[in-house]
Protein backbone atom coordinates (compact mmCIF):
# COMPACT_ATOMS: atom_id res chain seq x y z
CA UNK A 1 0.00 0.00 0.00
CA UNK A 2 1.29 3.47 -0.91
CA UNK A 3 0.28 6.33 1.37
CA UNK A 4 0.68 10.06 0.82
CA UNK A 5 0.74 11.78 4.21
CA UNK A 6 0.09 15.42 5.08
CA UNK A 7 0.73 17.12 8.43
CA UNK A 8 -0.15 20.76 9.20
CA UNK A 9 -1.30 20.70 12.84
CA UNK A 10 1.20 23.24 14.12
CA UNK A 11 4.12 25.11 12.58
CA UNK A 12 5.61 22.50 10.28
CA UNK A 13 4.27 21.84 6.79
CA UNK A 14 5.13 18.20 6.20
CA UNK A 15 4.46 15.81 3.33
CA UNK A 16 5.68 12.22 2.95
CA UNK A 17 5.20 9.22 0.72
CA UNK A 18 5.37 5.74 2.27
CA UNK A 19 5.11 2.22 1.01
CA UNK A 20 3.90 -0.44 3.42
CA UNK A 21 4.15 -4.08 2.47
CA UNK A 22 3.35 -6.79 5.02
CA UNK A 23 3.87 -4.30 7.86
CA UNK A 24 7.29 -3.32 6.46
CA UNK A 25 7.44 0.43 6.09
CA UNK A 26 9.57 2.15 3.50
CA UNK A 27 9.87 5.95 3.39
CA UNK A 28 9.84 6.80 -0.32
CA UNK A 29 10.10 10.56 0.14
CA UNK A 30 9.71 12.99 3.02
CA UNK A 31 9.88 16.74 3.38
CA UNK A 32 9.29 19.34 6.10
CA UNK A 33 9.06 23.10 5.68
CA UNK A 34 9.62 24.67 9.09
CA UNK A 35 7.97 27.95 10.04
CA UNK A 36 10.17 28.48 13.12
CA UNK A 37 11.54 31.73 11.68
CA UNK A 38 8.02 33.16 11.25
CA UNK A 39 6.94 32.40 14.82
CA UNK A 40 10.25 33.15 16.53
CA UNK A 41 9.34 36.73 17.40
CA UNK A 42 6.12 35.65 19.11
CA UNK A 43 7.88 33.02 21.27
CA UNK A 44 5.16 30.55 20.22
CA UNK A 45 3.02 29.66 17.23
CA UNK A 46 0.72 32.33 15.81
CA UNK A 47 -2.23 30.31 14.38
CA UNK A 48 -3.26 32.59 11.51
CA UNK A 49 0.34 33.01 10.36
CA UNK A 50 0.73 29.23 10.52
CA UNK A 51 -2.38 28.79 8.35
CA UNK A 52 -1.08 31.23 5.72
CA UNK A 53 2.34 29.60 5.64
CA UNK A 54 0.82 26.11 5.24
CA UNK A 55 -1.29 27.35 2.31
CA UNK A 56 1.86 28.69 0.67
CA UNK A 57 4.07 25.68 1.42
CA UNK A 58 1.82 22.69 0.70
CA UNK A 59 2.01 22.53 -3.11
CA UNK A 60 5.82 23.07 -3.25
CA UNK A 61 6.23 20.42 -0.50
CA UNK A 62 4.06 17.95 -2.41
CA UNK A 63 5.90 18.64 -5.68
CA UNK A 64 9.22 18.08 -3.92
CA UNK A 65 8.06 14.74 -2.54
CA UNK A 66 6.73 13.61 -5.91
CA UNK A 67 9.86 14.67 -7.76
CA UNK A 68 12.12 13.07 -5.12
CA UNK A 69 10.17 9.91 -5.85
CA UNK A 70 10.68 10.56 -9.54
CA UNK A 71 7.15 11.46 -10.48
CA UNK A 72 8.04 14.19 -12.92
CA UNK A 73 4.64 13.89 -14.36
CA UNK A 74 4.62 15.81 -17.61
CA UNK A 75 4.06 12.57 -19.50
CA UNK A 76 0.45 12.08 -18.51
CA UNK A 77 -0.87 15.44 -17.41
CA UNK A 78 -4.29 15.38 -15.87
CA UNK A 79 -5.00 18.55 -17.82
CA UNK A 80 -7.98 17.83 -20.04
CA UNK A 81 -8.97 14.77 -18.04
CA UNK A 82 -10.21 16.79 -15.12
CA UNK A 83 -13.77 17.84 -15.65
CA UNK A 84 -14.94 21.36 -14.96
CA UNK A 85 -17.26 20.05 -12.26
CA UNK A 86 -14.29 18.48 -10.45
CA UNK A 87 -12.34 21.69 -10.61
CA UNK A 88 -15.38 23.55 -9.30
CA UNK A 89 -15.59 21.15 -6.35
CA UNK A 90 -11.91 21.65 -5.61
CA UNK A 91 -12.38 25.41 -5.83
CA UNK A 92 -15.26 25.26 -3.37
CA UNK A 93 -13.24 23.17 -0.92
CA UNK A 94 -10.36 25.61 -1.11
CA UNK A 95 -12.50 28.76 -1.05
CA UNK A 96 -10.87 29.91 2.18
CA UNK A 97 -7.40 29.24 0.81
CA UNK A 98 -7.51 30.95 -2.63
CA UNK A 99 -3.72 31.02 -2.81
CA UNK A 100 -3.66 27.25 -2.35
CA UNK A 101 -6.31 26.80 -5.05
CA UNK A 102 -4.25 28.89 -7.47
CA UNK A 103 -1.20 26.72 -6.81
CA UNK A 104 -3.24 23.53 -7.25
CA UNK A 105 -4.67 24.81 -10.52
CA UNK A 106 -1.29 25.97 -11.76
CA UNK A 107 0.76 22.90 -10.88
CA UNK A 108 -1.26 19.84 -10.02
CA UNK A 109 -3.38 19.62 -13.15
CA UNK A 110 -0.19 19.15 -15.13
CA UNK A 111 1.37 16.20 -13.41
CA UNK A 112 0.38 12.60 -13.67
CA UNK A 113 -1.56 11.42 -10.61
CA UNK A 114 0.79 9.40 -8.41
CA UNK A 115 -0.08 5.76 -7.84
CA UNK A 116 -1.19 5.94 -4.25
CA UNK A 117 -3.82 4.02 -2.32
CA UNK A 118 -4.75 6.60 0.27
CA UNK A 119 -4.05 10.09 1.57
CA UNK A 120 -3.48 10.32 5.32
CA UNK A 121 -4.02 13.74 6.88
CA UNK A 122 -3.87 15.02 10.46
CA UNK A 123 -7.32 16.19 11.64
CA UNK A 124 -6.38 16.87 15.29
CA UNK A 125 -5.30 17.65 17.88
CA UNK A 126 -3.66 20.95 16.91
CA UNK A 127 -4.40 24.48 15.82
CA UNK A 128 -7.70 24.36 13.94
CA UNK A 129 -6.93 27.02 11.31
CA UNK A 130 -3.69 25.16 10.54
CA UNK A 131 -5.36 21.73 10.52
CA UNK A 132 -8.05 22.90 8.08
CA UNK A 133 -5.49 23.82 5.42
CA UNK A 134 -4.05 20.30 5.40
CA UNK A 135 -7.49 18.70 5.48
CA UNK A 136 -8.83 20.83 2.63
CA UNK A 137 -5.71 20.13 0.59
CA UNK A 138 -6.13 16.37 1.16
CA UNK A 139 -9.77 16.59 0.09
CA UNK A 140 -8.81 18.52 -3.06
CA UNK A 141 -6.22 15.87 -3.99
CA UNK A 142 -8.74 13.14 -3.24
CA UNK A 143 -11.17 14.62 -5.75
CA UNK A 144 -8.51 15.18 -8.40
CA UNK A 145 -6.93 11.75 -8.07
CA UNK A 146 -9.89 9.59 -6.94
CA UNK A 147 -8.08 8.43 -3.81
CA UNK A 148 -9.67 7.99 -0.35
CA UNK A 149 -8.67 10.16 2.62
CA UNK A 150 -7.84 8.74 6.04
CA UNK A 151 -8.12 11.22 8.92
CA UNK A 152 -5.28 10.71 11.41
CA UNK A 153 -4.85 11.55 15.09
CA UNK A 154 -1.54 13.43 15.43
CA UNK A 155 -0.77 11.91 18.86
CA UNK A 156 -1.22 8.38 17.52
CA UNK A 157 1.31 9.41 14.88
CA UNK A 158 3.83 10.34 17.59
CA UNK A 159 3.20 7.01 19.30
CA UNK A 160 3.57 4.91 16.14
CA UNK A 161 6.56 6.82 14.68
CA UNK A 162 9.17 4.20 15.72
CA UNK A 163 7.55 1.72 13.29
CA UNK A 164 8.92 3.82 10.43
CA UNK A 165 12.42 2.88 11.59
CA UNK A 166 11.84 -0.87 11.49
CA UNK A 167 11.24 -1.07 15.22
CA UNK A 168 8.54 -3.31 16.66
CA UNK A 169 6.04 -2.21 19.29
CA UNK A 170 4.89 -5.16 21.38
CA UNK A 171 1.37 -4.66 22.70
CA UNK A 172 -0.02 -3.78 25.17
CA UNK A 173 2.26 -0.75 25.28
CA UNK A 174 2.54 2.35 27.43
CA UNK A 175 3.06 5.63 25.58
CA UNK A 176 4.58 8.76 27.05
CA UNK A 177 3.87 11.52 24.56
CA UNK A 178 5.69 14.76 25.29
CA UNK A 179 5.36 17.52 22.72
CA UNK A 180 4.85 21.27 22.43
CA UNK A 181 1.10 20.95 22.80
CA UNK A 182 0.64 17.74 24.82
CA UNK A 183 1.88 15.66 27.70
CA UNK A 184 0.10 12.33 27.88
CA UNK A 185 0.47 8.88 29.33
CA UNK A 186 -1.51 6.46 27.20
CA UNK A 187 -2.20 2.76 27.15
CA UNK A 188 -2.30 1.13 23.71
CA UNK A 189 -3.80 -2.33 23.28
CA UNK A 190 -3.13 -2.31 19.55
CA UNK A 191 -2.10 0.29 16.93
CA UNK A 192 -5.79 1.23 16.72
CA UNK A 193 -6.96 1.08 20.36
CA UNK A 194 -5.93 3.68 22.94
CA UNK A 195 -6.82 4.85 26.42
CA UNK A 196 -5.70 8.08 28.05
CA UNK A 197 -4.22 7.47 31.52
CA UNK A 198 -3.13 10.98 32.41
CA UNK A 199 -2.41 14.35 30.91
CA UNK A 200 -1.24 17.84 31.90
CA UNK A 201 -3.51 20.20 33.81
CA UNK A 202 -1.89 23.27 32.31
CA UNK A 203 1.20 23.67 30.13
CA UNK A 204 2.64 20.86 28.03
CA UNK A 205 6.16 19.64 28.66
CA UNK A 206 7.58 21.16 25.43
CA UNK A 207 5.66 24.36 26.10
CA UNK A 208 7.50 24.64 29.43
CA UNK A 209 10.81 24.23 27.58
CA UNK A 210 9.78 26.95 25.13
CA UNK A 211 8.63 29.36 27.85
CA UNK A 212 11.74 28.83 29.96
CA UNK A 213 13.82 29.42 26.84
CA UNK A 214 12.03 32.73 26.39
CA UNK A 215 12.75 33.71 30.00
CA UNK A 216 16.42 32.96 29.35
CA UNK A 217 16.42 34.97 26.08
CA UNK A 218 16.84 31.93 23.85
CA UNK A 219 15.23 31.49 20.41
CA UNK A 220 12.02 29.55 19.66
CA UNK A 221 11.57 26.58 19.73
CA UNK A 222 13.50 26.53 22.96
CA UNK A 223 13.76 22.79 23.68
CA UNK A 224 17.03 22.12 21.86
CA UNK A 225 18.63 25.33 23.25
CA UNK A 226 17.70 24.48 26.84
CA UNK A 227 18.93 20.92 26.29
CA UNK A 228 22.29 22.22 25.09
CA UNK A 229 22.63 24.62 28.04
CA UNK A 230 21.61 21.93 30.51
CA UNK A 231 24.22 19.56 29.07
CA UNK A 232 26.87 22.27 29.57
CA UNK A 233 25.59 22.74 33.12
CA UNK A 234 25.94 19.01 33.81
CA UNK A 235 29.52 19.04 32.54
CA UNK A 236 30.62 21.71 34.98
CA UNK A 237 31.90 21.12 38.51
CA UNK A 238 29.73 19.78 41.32
CA UNK A 239 30.21 23.03 43.31
CA UNK A 240 27.04 24.63 41.91
CA UNK A 241 24.89 21.53 42.17
CA UNK A 242 22.36 22.98 44.58
CA UNK A 243 22.75 26.60 43.70
CA UNK A 244 19.30 26.68 42.15
CA UNK A 245 16.46 24.49 43.30
CA UNK A 246 13.21 24.19 41.39
CA UNK A 247 9.96 22.39 42.30
CA UNK A 248 8.78 19.05 40.83
CA UNK A 249 5.06 19.81 40.44
CA UNK A 250 2.65 16.97 41.26
CA UNK A 251 5.46 14.44 41.56
CA UNK A 252 3.96 12.94 44.73
CA UNK A 253 0.31 12.79 43.68
CA UNK A 254 -1.08 9.30 43.18
CA UNK A 255 -2.68 10.06 39.82
CA UNK A 256 -0.94 10.20 36.44
CA UNK A 257 -1.56 13.91 35.90
CA UNK A 258 1.14 16.48 35.17
CA UNK A 259 1.55 20.21 35.69
CA UNK A 260 4.34 22.33 34.21
CA UNK A 261 3.04 25.90 34.54
CA UNK A 262 4.31 26.25 38.12
CA UNK A 263 7.75 25.04 37.15
CA UNK A 264 8.00 27.69 34.44
CA UNK A 265 6.84 30.37 36.91
CA UNK A 266 9.41 29.17 39.43
CA UNK A 267 12.11 29.67 36.77
CA UNK A 268 10.82 33.19 36.15
CA UNK A 269 10.98 34.07 39.87
CA UNK A 270 14.40 32.50 40.18
CA UNK A 271 15.75 34.57 37.30
CA UNK A 272 14.22 37.73 38.77
CA UNK A 273 15.73 36.94 42.14
CA UNK A 274 19.19 36.44 40.69
CA UNK A 275 18.88 39.66 38.73
CA UNK A 276 17.59 41.69 41.68
CA UNK A 277 20.59 40.82 43.80
CA UNK A 278 22.84 42.33 41.22
CA UNK A 279 23.64 45.94 40.57
CA UNK A 280 23.66 47.01 36.96
CA UNK A 281 27.28 47.02 35.94
CA UNK A 282 28.36 49.05 32.92
CA UNK A 283 31.45 46.83 32.54
CA UNK A 284 29.32 43.74 32.28
CA UNK A 285 27.04 45.45 29.76
CA UNK A 286 30.00 46.49 27.68
CA UNK A 287 31.52 43.05 27.74
CA UNK A 288 28.29 41.72 26.22
CA UNK A 289 27.19 39.91 29.34
CA UNK A 290 23.91 41.79 29.46
CA UNK A 291 24.12 44.27 32.34
CA UNK A 292 22.49 42.79 35.43
CA UNK A 293 21.01 39.88 33.57
CA UNK A 294 21.70 36.27 34.51
CA UNK A 295 25.05 35.20 33.17
CA UNK A 296 25.88 32.30 30.90
CA UNK A 297 27.06 30.01 33.69
CA UNK A 298 23.90 30.75 35.69
CA UNK A 299 21.75 30.08 32.66
CA UNK A 300 23.43 26.71 32.28
CA UNK A 301 22.74 25.83 35.89
CA UNK A 302 19.12 26.99 35.73
CA UNK A 303 18.60 24.99 32.52
CA UNK A 304 20.21 21.98 34.16
CA UNK A 305 17.96 22.18 37.21
CA UNK A 306 14.89 22.77 35.01
CA UNK A 307 15.68 19.72 32.89
CA UNK A 308 16.36 17.71 36.04
CA UNK A 309 12.92 18.68 37.39
CA UNK A 310 11.18 17.74 34.11
CA UNK A 311 13.08 14.45 33.98
CA UNK A 312 12.24 13.60 37.61
CA UNK A 313 8.51 14.22 37.08
CA UNK A 314 8.43 12.24 33.81
CA UNK A 315 10.35 9.31 35.28
CA UNK A 316 8.28 9.12 38.48
CA UNK A 317 4.90 9.39 36.72
CA UNK A 318 5.86 6.93 33.99
CA UNK A 319 7.09 4.60 36.72
CA UNK A 320 3.70 4.86 38.44
CA UNK A 321 1.97 4.03 35.16
CA UNK A 322 4.25 1.01 34.66
CA UNK A 323 3.47 -0.22 38.18
CA UNK A 324 -0.26 -0.43 37.53
CA UNK A 325 -0.30 -1.39 33.87
CA UNK A 326 1.28 -4.61 32.68
CA UNK A 327 2.84 -3.69 29.34
CA UNK A 328 5.49 -5.08 27.03
CA UNK A 329 6.81 -1.83 25.58
CA UNK A 330 7.35 1.76 26.70
CA UNK A 331 7.17 4.12 23.72
CA UNK A 332 8.26 7.72 24.17
CA UNK A 333 7.26 10.15 21.43
CA UNK A 334 6.77 13.84 20.63
CA UNK A 335 9.27 16.67 20.24
CA UNK A 336 10.69 16.46 23.77
CA UNK A 337 11.65 12.83 23.10
CA UNK A 338 14.42 14.30 20.93
CA UNK A 339 16.06 15.09 24.29
CA UNK A 340 18.87 12.59 24.87
CA UNK A 341 19.11 13.15 28.64
CA UNK A 342 15.41 12.58 29.23
CA UNK A 343 15.43 9.52 26.96
CA UNK A 344 18.46 8.04 28.73
CA UNK A 345 16.66 8.25 32.07
CA UNK A 346 13.40 6.83 30.73
CA UNK A 347 15.32 3.97 29.16
CA UNK A 348 16.79 3.16 32.59
CA UNK A 349 13.27 3.12 33.99
CA UNK A 350 12.10 0.69 31.29
CA UNK A 351 15.04 -1.57 32.07
CA UNK A 352 14.03 -1.58 35.74
CA UNK A 353 10.53 -2.73 34.80
CA UNK A 354 11.88 -5.16 32.23
CA UNK A 355 9.90 -3.65 29.36
CA UNK A 356 11.15 -2.90 25.88
CA UNK A 357 12.06 0.78 25.36
CA UNK A 358 11.33 2.59 22.10
CA UNK A 359 11.78 6.10 20.81
CA UNK A 360 12.44 7.65 17.42
CA UNK A 361 15.47 9.35 15.97
CA UNK A 362 15.18 13.15 16.55
CA UNK A 363 13.90 13.81 13.01
CA UNK A 364 10.93 11.49 13.55
CA UNK A 365 10.39 12.57 17.18
CA UNK A 366 9.42 16.12 16.27
CA UNK A 367 6.49 16.79 13.93
CA UNK A 368 6.72 15.09 10.54
CA UNK A 369 4.44 13.51 7.95
CA UNK A 370 6.02 10.04 8.03
CA UNK A 371 4.39 9.32 11.40
CA UNK A 372 1.03 10.48 10.00
CA UNK A 373 1.42 8.02 7.12
CA UNK A 374 2.20 5.20 9.57
CA UNK A 375 -0.87 6.01 11.72
CA UNK A 376 -2.88 6.35 8.50
CA UNK A 377 -2.06 2.75 7.67
CA UNK A 378 -3.87 1.63 10.84
CA UNK A 379 -6.85 3.99 10.47
CA UNK A 380 -9.87 3.84 8.18
CA UNK A 381 -10.82 6.08 5.26
CA UNK A 382 -13.72 8.42 5.87
CA UNK A 383 -16.21 10.23 3.61
CA UNK A 384 -14.79 13.67 2.83
CA UNK A 385 -17.76 15.52 4.32
CA UNK A 386 -17.16 13.86 7.71
CA UNK A 387 -13.54 14.99 8.04
CA UNK A 388 -13.32 18.07 10.24
CA UNK A 389 -10.45 19.75 12.08
CA UNK A 390 -10.75 18.88 15.77
CA UNK A 391 -8.39 20.97 17.86
CA UNK A 392 -8.77 18.96 21.07
CA UNK A 393 -9.12 15.50 19.53
CA UNK A 394 -8.61 12.88 22.27
CA UNK A 395 -6.27 9.91 21.72
CA UNK A 396 -9.22 7.48 21.95
CA UNK A 397 -10.77 8.62 18.64
O1 LIG B 1 6.09 17.14 18.63
P1 LIG B 1 6.53 18.51 18.30
O2 LIG B 1 7.50 18.71 17.16
O3 LIG B 1 5.33 19.45 18.01
C1 LIG B 1 4.11 19.35 18.68
O4 LIG B 1 3.31 18.46 18.31
O5 LIG B 1 3.94 20.15 19.60
O6 LIG B 1 7.17 19.11 19.64
C2 LIG B 1 7.75 20.37 19.67
C3 LIG B 1 8.29 20.62 21.05
C4 LIG B 1 8.74 22.05 21.27
O7 LIG B 1 8.20 22.51 22.49
C5 LIG B 1 10.26 21.93 21.36
O8 LIG B 1 10.84 22.91 22.18
C6 LIG B 1 10.41 20.55 21.95
O9 LIG B 1 9.42 19.78 21.30
N1 LIG B 1 11.74 19.97 21.70
C7 LIG B 1 12.60 19.63 22.69
C8 LIG B 1 13.77 19.16 22.05
N2 LIG B 1 13.58 19.22 20.71
C9 LIG B 1 12.33 19.71 20.51
N3 LIG B 1 12.48 19.70 24.03
C10 LIG B 1 13.52 19.29 24.77
N4 LIG B 1 14.68 18.84 24.25
C11 LIG B 1 14.86 18.76 22.91
N5 LIG B 1 16.01 18.30 22.40
ZN1 LIG C 1 3.52 16.85 17.51
Amino acid sequence: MKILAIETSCDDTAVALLEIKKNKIKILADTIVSQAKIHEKYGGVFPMKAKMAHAKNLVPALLKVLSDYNIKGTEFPLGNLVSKSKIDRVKKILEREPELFDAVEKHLLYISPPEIDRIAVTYGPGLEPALWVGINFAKALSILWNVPVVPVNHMRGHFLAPLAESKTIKFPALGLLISGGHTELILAKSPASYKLLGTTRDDACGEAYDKVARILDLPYPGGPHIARLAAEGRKSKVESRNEFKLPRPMIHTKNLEFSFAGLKTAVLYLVRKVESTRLPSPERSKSGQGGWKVEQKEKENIAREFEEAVKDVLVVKTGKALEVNKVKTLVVGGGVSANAYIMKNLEKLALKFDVKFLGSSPALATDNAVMIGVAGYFARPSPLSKIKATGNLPIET
Side-chain angles (χ1 to χ4, degrees):
M1 179 190 289
K2 280 208 186 90
I3 304 179
L4 177 76
I6 299 167
E7 153 65 37
T8 64
S9 69
C10 194
D11 59 343
D12 290 304
T13 313
V15 178
L17 192 62
L18 309 184
E19 184 171 44
I20 306 185
K21 266 192 212 154
K22 292 189 190 142
N23 284 343
K24 270 211 158 309
I25 300 171
K26 197 166 153 199
I27 303 170
L28 301 176
D30 171 28
T31 192
I32 298 179
V33 190
S34 165
Q35 303 174 7
K37 278 265 157 298
I38 298 176
H39 303 289
E40 205 172 58
K41 53 180 169 296
Y42 308 104
V45 182
F46 198 105
M48 293 322 274
K49 296 242 180 241
K51 173 191 145 101
M52 278 155 56
H54 288 312
K56 188 163 152 245
N57 296 338
L58 272 169
V59 169
L62 173 67
L63 292 175
K64 178 166 189 326
V65 158
L66 295 182
S67 85
D68 285 355
Y69 181 57
N70 260 335
I71 300 182
K72 299 274 187 293
T74 40
E75 258 178 276
F76 308 105
L78 262 179
N80 304 337
L81 299 176
V82 184
S83 63
K84 173 149 186 336
S85 75
K86 261 193 182 179
I87 295 180
D88 286 346
R89 276 179 73 198
V90 169
K91 191 169 190 174
K92 176 112 192 66
I93 281 173
L94 296 177
E95 68 186 352
R96 288 178 185 209
E97 292 93 22
E99 185 188 1
L100 183 53
F101 175 74
D102 289 346
V104 167
E105 198 179 32
K106 186 160 170 216
H107 297 284
L108 298 189
L109 299 186
Y110 302 100
I111 61 162
S112 49
E115 281 176 20
I116 51 172
D117 301 282
R118 49 172 67 179
I119 300 168
V121 66
T122 309
Y123 76 113
L127 305 168
E128 287 194 1
L131 288 163
W132 270 120
V133 187
I135 292 172
N136 288 339
F137 186 53
K139 289 181 182 182
L141 295 180
S142 165
I143 291 168
L144 287 179
W145 296 342
N146 293 323
V147 179
V149 175
V150 183
V152 169
N153 183 313
H154 180 87
M155 300 312 288
R156 292 189 183 191
H158 275 307
F159 175 80
L160 295 168
L163 298 182
E165 294 175 316
S166 307
K167 297 169 185 165
T168 312
I169 302 176
K170 290 189 179 152
F171 290 92
L174 182 75
L176 172 67
L177 305 180
I178 37 182
S179 70
H182 296 84
T183 303
E184 294 181 345
L185 274 164
I186 59 163
L187 183 65
K189 288 207 192 104
S190 77
S193 164
Y194 297 85
K195 188 177 157 212
L196 181 69
L197 301 175
T199 182
T200 177
R201 297 200 169 164
D202 39 59
D203 291 354
C205 186
E207 191 179 355
Y209 266 92
D210 295 336
K211 287 180 174 170
V212 166
R214 202 159 190 210
I215 295 168
L216 296 179
D217 284 330
L218 298 165
Y220 171 85
H225 299 282
I226 297 280
R228 223 167 291 131
L229 275 186
E232 282 305 312
R234 282 191 293 272
K235 265 195 234 157
S236 60
K237 301 250 159 23
V238 195
E239 51 179 85
S240 54
R241 174 145 290 171
N242 285 322
E243 188 185 354
F244 303 122
K245 198 76 195 141
L246 291 167
R248 272 81 174 141
M250 294 188 69
I251 198 165
H252 295 303
T253 57
K254 279 217 178 80
N255 58 29
L256 299 175
E257 307 270 289
F258 299 88
S259 164
F260 290 103
L263 177 56
K264 162 216 66 193
T265 310
V267 172
L268 180 67
Y269 289 155
L270 178 59
V271 168
R272 280 197 191 146
K273 194 171 131 208
V274 173
E275 290 176 352
S276 70
T277 57
R278 192 160 294 158
L279 287 174
S281 133
E283 289 76 39
R284 229 188 267 126
S285 283
K286 257 187 257 152
S287 69
Q289 289 185 36
W292 57 90
K293 293 235 172 231
V294 279
E295 290 169 5
Q296 185 63 18
K297 204 83 225 122
E298 292 164 332
K299 281 190 184 182
E300 288 171 7
N301 286 327
I302 292 171
R304 175 177 78 171
E305 170 64 4
F306 166 75
E307 191 155 280
E308 204 60 29
V310 172
K311 178 267 287 175
D312 285 347
V313 172
L314 294 176
V315 168
V316 167
K317 292 281 171 170
T318 308
K320 277 186 185 149
L322 287 170
E323 271 165 26
V324 289
N325 295 281
K326 275 247 144 298
V327 295
K328 294 186 177 147
T329 316
L330 169 62
V331 180
V332 186
V336 183
S337 74
N339 186 299
Y341 184 67
I342 287 181
M343 289 303 268
K344 191 178 81 185
N345 283 280
L346 288 165
E347 185 166 12
K348 270 194 227 155
L349 178 77
L351 201 66
K352 204 172 108 193
F353 280 86
D354 197 23
V355 303
K356 182 176 173 172
F357 180 77
L358 281 186
S360 301
S361 61
L364 285 185
T366 49
D367 286 352
N368 63 84
V370 170
M371 68 182 199
I372 301 306
V374 176
Y377 175 68
F378 296 103
R380 273 198 300 269
S382 166
L384 298 191
S385 61
K386 292 246 166 74
I387 307 175
K388 296 194 163 60
T390 312
N392 56 3
L393 184 73
I395 190 86
E396 280 91 353
T397 50

